[in-house]
Amino acid sequence: MSDALVLDAAAQDLLFREARTANTFTDEPVSDEQIQAIYDLVKFGPTAFNQQPLRIVLVRSTEARERLVGHMADGNKAKTGTAPLVAIVAADHEFHEELPTQFPVFPQAKDLFFAERPAREASSSFNAALQVGYFVVGIRAAGLAAGPMTGFDAAGINKDFFPDGDHSVLAVINIGKPGADAWYPRNPRLAFDEAVTTV
């Protein structure tokens, strides 16, 4: 079926078929230029009302890394402690403040749909999660590996890194070149007929 896609087979492998969640990394650094190139690519992924609630905190200092590792589940501490770069990805529940400039075709959406905090939290969490998916694929497009994780104390990370109360952590992503024994065995995926129906 790959010939039904415009994307060539090598790119399909890079982004999906051969791409895996990395558990170890080499010492090769990940530059700010690489991360900016990734962001400048994936920011074009679609979201509702063109909202852009994803916020990315790059954890580069030793002090911040130690704080973050303290919030990780035991099985994730070593991975987060040794990855070349770690990103905390979060949803900004005040994303609606940018809607008048980012969705100028309908600036009233800011107050019409998102005046109430519960609506903002639901929408920002969903759309930021979409953006996290784009971000992972963008990391792969840069020739890097991503190790996204949700095994952590979310309340602790929010308090430590987002004390304003307007952001909620969604995942912690280790980023870098894959190291030795980086991959667990590939887990199965549902077949087309198991996941897709036509009505």
Side-chain angles (χ1 to χ4, degrees), residues 80-121:
T80 299
T82 58
L85 180 62
V86 181
I88 304 170
V89 289
D92 179 359
H93 302 310
E94 297 299 307
F95 71 91
H96 67 309
E97 297 295 346
E98 282 108 20
L99 280 183
T101 59
Q102 300 305 301
F103 198 60
V105 67
F106 187 43
Q108 305 94 310
K110 172 182 181 286
D111 298 314
L112 186 61
F113 296 110
F114 303 112
E116 300 298 325
R117 176 75 177 221
R120 295 201 301 275
E121 288 187 359

Side-chain angles (χ1 to χ4, degrees), residues 10-78:
Q12 294 171 38
D13 288 343
L14 177 70
L15 300 180
F16 295 102
R17 279 193 293 264
E18 299 299 326
R20 309 284 290 282
T21 294
N23 294 286
T24 68
F25 297 89
T26 69
D27 293 333
E28 184 175 336
V30 177
S31 70
D32 288 336
E33 291 76 15
Q34 286 173 297
I35 295 298
Q36 182 167 347
I38 291 165
Y39 179 80
D40 285 341
L41 174 66
V42 305
K43 68 183 180 184
F44 294 108
T47 59
F49 294 101
N50 196 38
Q51 62 184 268
Q52 297 157 60
L54 178 66
R55 299 295 178 263
I56 303 168
V57 176
L58 302 177
V59 181
R60 290 204 178 273
S61 73
T62 301
E63 180 269 338
R65 181 77 66 108
E66 290 174 352
R67 285 164 43 212
L68 177 59
V69 168
H71 298 298
M72 302 303 293
D74 288 344
N76 292 330
K77 289 181 186 294

Side-chain angles (χ1 to χ4, degrees), residues 131-179:
Q131 291 185 284
V132 171
Y134 304 142
F135 185 57
V136 168
V137 173
I139 290 168
R140 295 171 172 181
L144 300 169
M149 299 175 298
T150 56
F152 49 72
D153 174 8
I157 290 178
N158 288 337
K159 182 178 179 181
D160 201 347
F161 290 89
F162 306 108
D164 61 8
D166 289 331
H167 300 74
S168 295
V169 61
L170 297 173
V172 171
I173 305 177
N174 299 326
I175 304 169
K177 291 284 189 180

